[in-house]
Amino acid sequence: MAGPSQTWVPDVLGEPFEQLTLSLGVAGEHGDLVATLVRSIPNPVVTAFAPLRDVDVLYVHGWSDYFFQRELARFWTHRGARFFALDLRRYGRSLRDGQSPGYIDSLDDYDVDIEAALRAMGHHPAATGNGRGPHAGAKPDRRAARKGRRLVLMGHSTGGLTLTLWAARHPGRADALVLNSPWLELQLGPLGRQALAPLVDMRARLDPRGTQPAVDFGFYTRAQDEIGSLPNGEHRALWRPDRGFPTAPGWLSAVMAGHRRVASGIDVGCPAMVLLSTASTPPLAWRESMTSTDSVLVVDDIARASTKVGELVTIARIEGAIHDVFLSRDEPRAQAYDALDRWVKGYVVPD
């Protein structure tokens, strides 16, 4: 875990971003695995009276991705929040030579990465309660938790699924959850997932790291290229390849297990916001509509699945948005930020 000897260093995004390597104490293919925490901290003098001055945001990226969204960080820091983003093990800044990009056997394993990040941020389990101890099962005292800094979780796509499941397993730790096109259901829908699951699970047991047919033909990357929202820099080809990372049965089985849990109904224990496009385009052949729709997920299925993650869920459908709504063209991107701003004022800004 992050210790006193580890220091923040300049990040590849430049100022004001810094990064911290988090030792996870987990063995990988070539040495121990690490995660990487990126931060942007607003000037405390400037934000002394800002509405979110007591808030920390932790962002988690999606599949074949890493954190590069400077504008998203500014949204939070301009309101006084401290912004953090986590490149999970085997992703982005945390990916090392010889590792299988993005591979995981269970999404629960990311608990180690998330806890390491929260400790580095100053959010210890004892500070906000974790549902354990003599009062396990009791509803967390959120007022007591707010004597310290509050925690907002934000996840995109697979990162949204990961954080949703984490919040449900750790009631009381998060004060709010923001999901940007979260991958809460398989693209084949519930019936397709149920039919495919036995085959995927069997392959995961026999050959977890085996090869699978490519499912990403590069259309989403092409859509972002036409919009002009792709990241720049030498790291993109390695950290965010145009056709995504190769997938494996063990990884797909882990994701589908998460889908099953969501479908059965869970409770993240805090207000949640889900941002989605209004339409999807099947990624079978290139179509210009992919620059104004979600070409990765079936958004109507995601909207239905979103109703099963908690008691208070706000769903915002953004006309013209792509899979990452905050990387869409100017107008839908502005609508997405406006919707998030209004939701934050209602559920995150103190009464």
Side-chain angles (χ1 to χ4, degrees), residues 262-274:
V262 170
S264 68
I266 59 176
D267 185 2
V268 297
C270 62
M273 182 186 195
V274 180

Side-chain angles (χ1 to χ4, degrees), residues 142 153 155 157 159-172 174 176-185 258-276 301-315 343:
R142 205 172 295 282
L153 300 176
S157 198
L161 173 63
T162 298
L163 287 179
T164 296
L165 298 172
W166 183 89
R169 291 194 308 272
H170 299 82
L177 175 67
V178 180
L179 302 174
N180 172 9
S181 301
W183 192 14
L184 301 181
E185 180 57 270
H259 293 160
R260 284 196 297 272
R261 276 187 256 172
V262 170
S264 68
I266 59 176
D267 185 2
V268 297
C270 62
M273 182 186 195
V274 180
L275 296 115
L276 295 166
D301 286 346
I302 303 302
R304 281 188 284 270
S306 298
T307 65
K308 298 185 177 182
V309 306
E311 297 178 355
L312 181 57
V313 180
T314 302
I315 301 175
W343 185 84

Side-chain angles (χ1 to χ4, degrees), residues 281-293:
T281 298
L284 304 176
W286 169 254
R287 295 172 62 184
E288 190 61 33
S289 62
M290 290 177 171
T291 64
S292 58
T293 61

Side-chain angles (χ1 to χ4, degrees), residues 3-4 8 50 116 155 176 204 215 235-236 244 258 268 271 279 281:
W8 293 91
V215 295
H235 308 287
R236 175 187 150 191
V268 297
T281 298

Side-chain angles (χ1 to χ4, degrees), residues 328-341:
S328 305
R329 295 191 188 278
D330 290 349
E331 184 175 346
R333 189 172 75 250
Q335 292 175 4
Y337 277 116
D338 180 65
L340 178 58
D341 183 56

